[in-house]
Amino acid sequence: METKQSTKRIVIEPVTRVEGHGKVTILLDDDNKVTQARLHIVEFRGFERFIQGRPYWEAPVAVQRLCGICPVSHHLAAAKAMDIIVGADTLTPTAEKMRRLMHYGQTFQSHALHFFHLCSPDLLFGFDADVAIRNVIGVIAKFPDLAVQGVMMRKYGQEVIKATAGKKIHGTGAIPGGVNKNLSIAERDELLKDIDQMVEWAHGALKIAKDYTVENLEWVAPFGSFDSSHMSLIREDGAMDLYHGDLRCIDFEGNTIFDHVDYQGYADLIAEEVRSWTYMKFPFIKSLGTDDGWYRVGPLARLNTCDFIDTPAAEAARKEFMAVTDNKPNNLTMAYHWARMIELLHSIEKIKELLNDPDLQGDDLVVTGDRREEAVGMIEAPRGTLIHHYKVDENDQITMCNLIVSTTHNNVPMNKAVQKVAEDHISGVPEITEGLLNHVEVAIRAYDPCLSCATHALGKMPLEVELIDADGAVVDSKSTV
Amino acid sequence: MSTTRPRVLLIGYGNPGRLDDGLGPAAAATIEALALPSVTVDSDYQLMLEDAEAASRHDVAIFVDADVSGPEPFSVVKLVPVEEVSFSTHSLRPEAVMGLVTKVFGGATTGYLVGIRGYAFNEFEESLSEKAQTNLDAAVEFLTGVLTLGDAAAIETELDTWLTAAATAATAEGDSPCKTERT
């Protein structure tokens, strides 16, 4: 135990309603004052070693083993890196648009799933509500139409993925230099049948998230919040672009840290620190150092970094979002939900736009060029910036792989959110209830962390809390299933 | 007894990149290739909420998963729908899927779980162990026979008959036919 005399330790393990397994420890002194709060990642990924020695063309399919939650993001990030390896600097319109369609399908289903089935119980019932109803079954019972919408929106996104990647498991749609299929007229028409319904439901989801934030702003604003830098890819003209762009990073006031940087050079800007108490690394901006160089990624960061969104409804929503903070960066942790729903709407608008683009029926699918030995693929995954970095030798074998996944970028912010909520809501409280501990999880859940890369740990995810005294003895415990 | 051909959904799930954890998708792929009439085949890394919607549109739903400790070569369990109050998106059990079929989508689907015994799960490799492949072949042969039956009642009878036979055999050996630890 890493505590001084007379310190109590609270453990929340596993953290529930996030993707994967994590653990929170909160250290309390004799007066129940929080002295330390941390989010630990308790699973080791090890994938970067596994991929070494594999031929480069296997990477876009093989990396999908990393995660059953967001395999498409890894598929596309690896494919983008392998485009560089095979010298394909510019894809054909059909190839690029097929990949974009796949990616917006992934984002749409991921954001819908998170909002309706992971976070909505907290928003609809309250953080302190009876844990017996504060779950998706409770949502189904009280808000059945919403629950069905969540299921059907996720299903629609999955159908987009299937039509573009070929299948849901180990899809092969993106290959080095392009894609291996276009979208048939039949596939297009099937997806177009439900598109307007999806747009309507996305508007409804956005309204829930917006109204919740605005109507509860007084207490939502400080909840787990802190000033931070924000980083994402950005299109050449400053538009939000979830598939491709250059790197932009701003500070908490909106001042530029770096802008329009080619992500092939990300390693010049970003380094990763290792700490002994967690498997997850801590990325930081080199020029700012480990203490000040951390930043946020994901929907909130993307709303803050972009100059505009190139779809009309999402752009109108972005303007409303930015007006809350007088067009300065929004640093509210709970605003992630609102930002995520703006992206949900943006994604379905882009899907509709792409489905009506005849380029998707083109037959020119692959390009090649001069072979290279090192490449970076980067994409804005649903949870944030995803980096795949590879080196490939003359025998076409991968010799080095480095991945920085979205949740890793948000490691420091999630820990800061945990610390903030613990200090604001748990510190000094004589009895720690399940509802209070859920406050900590609510803050983590706002980031939609995916802790499950390369793991396949199924089973129930109980919330287990232990109060442990300075001698390591369990003095109290709570658990829910 | 129904005279129309039953609508059957078969979902194989698991991670093919984790050795025998790919038994479910492997079974699904083999059966899909047979193109059996009125049989819809799907596969995924894990069961998801939308699988309940799909299952609700079928008479019978058969889930196929790898089993780390069940009987060889495979087991069959008739699913009792449950309202699971605490699941995350990557830990939805087939019983919970069936619970959602009833609760959310008003379906009257009968659900079964086929657990194919596997042995190796802890490495990143896309292949099946030799014994798992043998078990897969047996499960596919059994499922193919079941799925080619002409009506839903016959399918359920065949699956229930297997359950009864397994239970009888297990009782004779002093074991439980449904002692499973799925992946």
Side-chain angles (χ1 to χ4, degrees):
Chain A
M1 201 158 128
E2 50 190 314
T3 64
K4 61 187 179 184
Q5 198 69 13
S6 301
T7 298
K8 280 187 279 191
R9 182 168 175 252
I10 298 174
V11 181
I12 304 176
E13 183 183 19
V15 176
T16 57
R17 280 189 280 135
V18 302
E19 305 289 8
H21 287 211
K23 177 176 77 172
V24 172
T25 58
I26 303 170
L27 303 186
L28 306 175
D29 64 16
D30 271 350
D31 299 321
N32 277 0
K33 297 286 187 188
V34 171
T35 59
Q36 183 191 78
R38 284 174 169 171
L39 170 65
H40 309 246
I41 303 307
V42 294
E43 292 174 341
F44 178 61
R45 204 171 64 221
F47 186 84
E48 284 119 321
R49 291 289 301 272
F50 156 75
I51 198 71
Q52 289 178 17
R54 300 264 171 166
Y56 72 81
W57 56 80
E58 281 189 3
V61 173
V63 294
Q64 293 174 86
R65 297 169 186 169
L66 274 163
C67 180
I69 305 302
C70 49
V72 171
S73 301
H74 289 295
H75 178 55
L76 290 174
K80 289 181 73 177
M82 296 313 153
D83 293 342
I84 305 294
I85 292 292
V86 301
D89 293 333
T90 304
L91 301 187
T92 67
T94 301
E96 167 141 349
K97 289 173 183 177
M98 282 293 288
R99 287 190 188 182
R100 283 181 176 274
L101 182 58
M102 189 192 309
H103 187 46
Y104 287 114
Q106 156 92 341
T107 304
F108 184 71
Q109 64 86 15
S110 177
H111 282 359
L113 181 75
H114 178 265
F115 185 72
F116 284 99
H117 297 284
L118 299 184
C119 94
S120 74
D122 296 320
L123 306 191
L124 296 172
F125 297 118
F127 304 172
D128 294 310
D130 182 356
V131 70
I133 63 161
R134 191 190 348 110
N135 52 64
V136 70
I137 298 295
V139 174
I140 290 166
K142 191 163 184 184
F143 306 97
D145 292 346
L146 272 184
V148 170
Q149 286 177 23
V151 172
M152 300 310 288
M153 290 166 85
R154 188 185 135 73
K155 182 181 179 185
Y156 185 84
Q158 290 290 86
E159 292 303 321
V160 172
I161 292 169
K162 193 172 181 180
T164 49
K167 52 185 179 175
K168 285 193 283 188
I169 287 189
H170 291 192
T172 57
I175 59 176
V179 296
N180 65 5
K181 77 183 286 288
N182 63 11
L183 192 74
S184 70
I185 295 290
E187 288 168 329
R188 180 199 67 184
D189 292 347
E190 187 64 26
L191 291 170
L192 278 172
K193 276 197 309 192
D194 295 324
I195 190 75
D196 290 332
Q197 179 66 80
M198 296 300 144
V199 172
E200 182 186 330
W201 285 346
H203 275 283
L206 170 61
K207 186 175 187 313
I208 293 171
K210 176 195 150 191
D211 290 351
Y212 177 84
T213 310
V214 171
E215 291 167 9
N216 299 287
L217 194 59
E218 187 176 348
W219 68 269
V220 160
F223 187 85
S225 294
F226 44 84
D227 290 341
S228 75
S229 302
H230 302 271
M231 187 183 82
S232 78
L233 294 176
I234 207 80
R235 203 168 73 182
E236 191 174 356
D237 59 0
M240 173 185 282
D241 193 329
L242 303 182
Y243 176 74
H244 190 64
D246 293 328
L247 280 168
R248 173 181 284 179
C249 188
I250 60 172
D251 70 12
F252 72 101
E253 292 180 308
N255 301 306
T256 299
I257 298 174
F258 51 78
D259 198 5
H260 289 300
V261 177
D262 181 351
Y263 62 67
Q264 295 301 317
Y266 85 95
D268 296 331
L269 301 171
I270 297 168
E272 295 174 276
E273 183 192 13
V274 176
R275 298 181 192 175
S276 60
W277 48 271
T278 177
Y279 279 125
M280 194 153 66
K281 294 178 181 177
F282 291 82
F284 63 96
I285 297 163
K286 285 182 176 178
S287 63
L288 300 178
T290 53
D291 289 344
D292 300 322
W294 55 275
Y295 49 88
R296 286 194 264 202
V297 300
L300 181 68
R302 292 190 286 250
L303 263 290
N304 284 327
T305 55
C306 77
D307 297 328
F308 68 99
I309 299 176
D310 69 346
T311 54
E315 171 61 4
R318 185 196 70 83
K319 287 177 177 172
E320 286 185 314
F321 179 87
M322 296 307 293
V324 170
T325 49
D326 294 328
N327 291 311
K328 291 289 187 182
N330 185 321
N331 288 292
L332 311 185
T333 291
M334 289 299 282
Y336 260 101
H337 298 304
W338 186 359
R340 193 171 286 117
M341 291 304 94
I342 294 173
E343 289 191 345
L344 178 87
L345 181 57
H346 173 57
S347 296
I348 199 66
E349 286 185 295
K350 294 298 281 188
I351 289 170
K352 185 173 183 178
E353 179 184 304
L354 286 163
L355 288 175
N356 287 298
D357 189 328
D359 278 346
L360 286 176
Q361 281 76 53
D363 294 321
D364 193 6
L365 304 181
V366 182
V367 294
T368 56
D370 295 331
R371 176 81 153 67
R372 299 187 180 99
E373 294 184 345
E374 184 172 359
V376 177
M378 202 175 291
I379 196 163
E380 284 298 325
R383 295 166 175 83
T385 313
L386 172 62
I387 301 174
H388 278 220
H389 183 185
Y390 300 92
K391 290 181 181 175
V392 179
D393 68 13
E394 66 277 11
N395 298 316
D396 293 343
Q397 290 183 325
I398 294 170
T399 58
M400 188 283 291
C401 169
N402 186 45
L403 309 177
I404 306 179
V405 304
S406 316
T407 298
T408 305
H409 292 291
N410 279 331
N411 198 354
V412 170
M414 286 192 294
N415 273 280
K416 284 192 174 294
V418 166
Q419 179 82 25
K420 178 77 162 41
V421 171
E423 288 172 353
D424 290 351
H425 297 274
I426 291 177
S427 200
V429 174
E431 184 183 0
I432 310 300
T433 64
E434 186 280 332
L436 283 175
L437 290 173
N438 185 51
H439 282 58
V440 175
E441 296 192 78
V442 167
I444 297 169
R445 228 172 270 138
Y447 290 84
D448 187 15
C450 181
L451 312 176
S452 62
C453 286
T455 65
H456 189 60
L458 295 190
K460 291 191 175 183
M461 297 182 67
L463 168 64
E464 295 182 358
V465 182
E466 291 183 336
L467 287 171
I468 303 172
D469 68 16
D471 298 322
V474 177
V475 295
D476 193 8
S477 67
K478 290 182 171 62
S479 70
T480 59
V481 176
Chain B
M1 184 178 288
S2 171
T3 55
T4 58
R5 184 166 284 279
R7 300 163 301 165
V8 181
L9 174 66
L10 184 142
I11 303 178
Y13 62 101
N15 186 348
R18 286 294 185 97
L19 297 171
D20 292 351
D21 196 30
L23 277 165
T30 307
I31 290 169
E32 186 172 30
L34 300 174
L36 301 174
S38 298
V39 177
T40 306
V41 180
D42 200 357
S43 59
D44 211 333
Y45 292 98
Q46 56 265 310
L47 295 175
M48 292 288 194
L49 294 159
E50 67 270 19
D51 293 323
E53 190 275 336
S56 73
R57 291 184 282 107
H58 292 80
D59 300 305
V60 178
I62 300 174
F63 302 89
V64 186
D65 190 9
D67 196 334
V68 301
S69 63
E72 298 169 326
F74 62 88
S75 62
V76 179
V77 175
K78 190 167 190 173
L79 294 169
V80 177
V82 298
E83 288 185 20
E84 202 160 43
V85 297
S86 179
F87 56 78
S88 80
T89 56
H90 77 298
S91 61
L92 196 54
R93 298 188 298 137
E95 294 88 344
V97 172
M98 295 309 299
L100 293 170
V101 166
T102 310
K103 179 91 178 175
V104 181
F105 298 103
T109 312
T110 305
Y112 292 89
L113 172 66
V114 175
I116 307 175
R117 177 66 190 272
Y119 307 91
F121 294 90
N122 293 325
E123 299 294 333
F124 286 114
E125 284 295 335
E126 195 161 345
S127 63
L128 297 176
S129 66
E130 194 173 330
K131 288 171 69 177
Q133 181 64 53
T134 301
N135 296 343
L136 171 67
D137 294 342
V140 168
E141 182 181 356
F142 168 74
L143 284 167
T144 304
V146 169
L147 294 169
T148 49
L149 294 171
D151 61 73
I155 288 173
E156 292 180 30
T157 299
E158 185 69 12
L159 289 164
D160 291 340
T161 300
W162 191 95
L163 276 170
T164 304
T168 304
T171 302
E173 294 175 12
D175 200 359
S176 165
C178 297
K179 182 185 174 185
T180 61
E181 186 182 345
R182 299 190 300 274
T183 61

